[in-house]
Amino acid sequence: MANYTEEQWNAKKVELMEKCFNGFAELGLHGTGIRTLAKHCGYNTSMIYTYFKDLDDLIVQSTEYCMSKVEDEFMAKAPTDVNDLWRFIDEIPYWTAKKHGKKYRLMYQVYTHPKYREYGKKFFAGADKRYTEYAKILEGRLGIPYQKLTPLIFILIRACVHYALFEDEFYMKSQIETLKETLELFVMKYNPKARSRFAV
């Protein structure tokens, strides 16, 4: 690290995690070693070993970082108010599949592997907390208690991820329609002033 500032070091590590994670998404997790990955990403192996102790360390850190970044992008597209709900719900499954489908497929390869399962449990425990905080932000925008919104967010995420993994339109649309009906009932109950502007 002598030739880098801490900021430069961290920026390079982020670059490596993103490129290598995308490399795994392209090449597949199984059978892709450091040499193959480094060549695909335009690095030499010594560069990777400078930042990660071994292949497992790279896989664990890059998966956690890159999928947390996907979550942030998802949250950035959140509805701004009740009127924006349908736009968000209708767009987000297709956006997720198109932009992040390969990443989700790789994430499930990683976190369902026996070697990395404990890391997956920690990641999803963190995701539970992050989406609960997300629901608290939406409470102020939608007028619906976050305790009611949190499980609906998980339903939406599940529908989006399932569609990204398998492009199962029937499953996704059935989940989305149920979600819409539930949200309509909650808006009528908790935010009745928005009801006249609220249309499916």
Side-chain angles (χ1 to χ4, degrees):
M1 189 171 167
N3 297 325
Y4 293 98
T5 66
E6 184 177 356
E7 185 177 345
Q8 289 171 326
W9 176 274
N10 291 335
K12 188 64 179 180
K13 184 175 181 179
V14 165
E15 176 193 309
L16 279 162
M17 287 191 291
E18 291 181 339
K19 284 193 175 181
C20 289
F21 191 77
N22 288 333
F24 277 122
E26 293 288 337
L27 299 170
L29 179 66
H30 304 295
T32 300
I34 287 279
R35 289 182 182 177
T36 301
L37 183 67
K39 183 177 180 181
H40 179 81
C41 296
Y43 297 120
N44 55 51
T45 56
S46 62
M47 172 65 77
I48 295 177
Y49 282 120
T50 299
Y51 290 85
F52 306 96
K53 62 182 181 181
D54 53 30
L55 186 64
D56 290 335
D57 187 38
L58 170 61
I59 290 169
V60 168
Q61 289 199 52
S62 64
T63 301
E64 180 179 6
Y65 173 81
C66 291
M67 295 314 297
S68 293
K69 188 175 178 182
V70 169
E71 285 181 355
D72 291 340
E73 290 184 36
F74 179 93
M75 293 178 187
K77 294 181 73 66
T80 54
D81 55 30
V82 170
N83 292 325
D84 196 35
L85 262 174
W86 299 146
R87 184 275 313 168
F88 173 69
I89 293 172
D90 287 336
E91 287 180 2
I92 202 70
Y94 298 103
W95 173 85
T96 301
K98 182 177 181 180
K99 188 165 184 183
H100 297 301
K102 288 182 180 179
K103 293 177 183 177
Y104 275 110
R105 287 191 286 275
L106 174 58
M107 181 188 77
Y108 275 88
Q109 286 182 62
V110 172
Y111 286 148
T112 57
H113 193 291
K115 188 189 292 187
Y116 308 120
R117 189 167 179 271
E118 289 303 312
Y119 295 102
K121 289 167 70 175
K122 290 178 183 177
F123 176 83
F124 287 111
D128 291 346
K129 293 179 181 178
R130 289 190 292 275
Y131 284 123
T132 299
E133 291 304 311
Y134 178 41
K136 290 178 180 179
I137 294 171
L138 289 179
E139 178 177 350
R141 298 178 185 179
L142 307 179
I144 300 171
Y146 80 90
Q147 297 93 333
K148 302 295 183 182
L149 289 171
T150 301
L152 298 185
I153 291 171
F154 291 134
I155 291 170
L156 177 61
I157 295 294
R158 174 64 63 183
C160 290
V161 172
H162 187 87
Y163 184 72
L165 292 173
F166 305 111
E167 296 184 2
D168 184 347
E169 195 100 8
F170 178 81
Y171 178 95
M172 183 268 288
K173 286 186 173 180
S174 65
Q175 295 287 300
I176 294 299
E177 287 307 310
T178 300
L179 182 63
K180 284 183 176 182
E181 290 179 12
T182 305
L183 277 167
E184 183 174 18
L185 292 173
F186 282 160
V187 170
M188 290 169 65
K189 180 176 181 178
Y190 296 107
N191 192 0
K193 291 181 179 179
R195 183 179 177 184
S196 62
R197 297 176 284 122
F198 194 75
V200 177

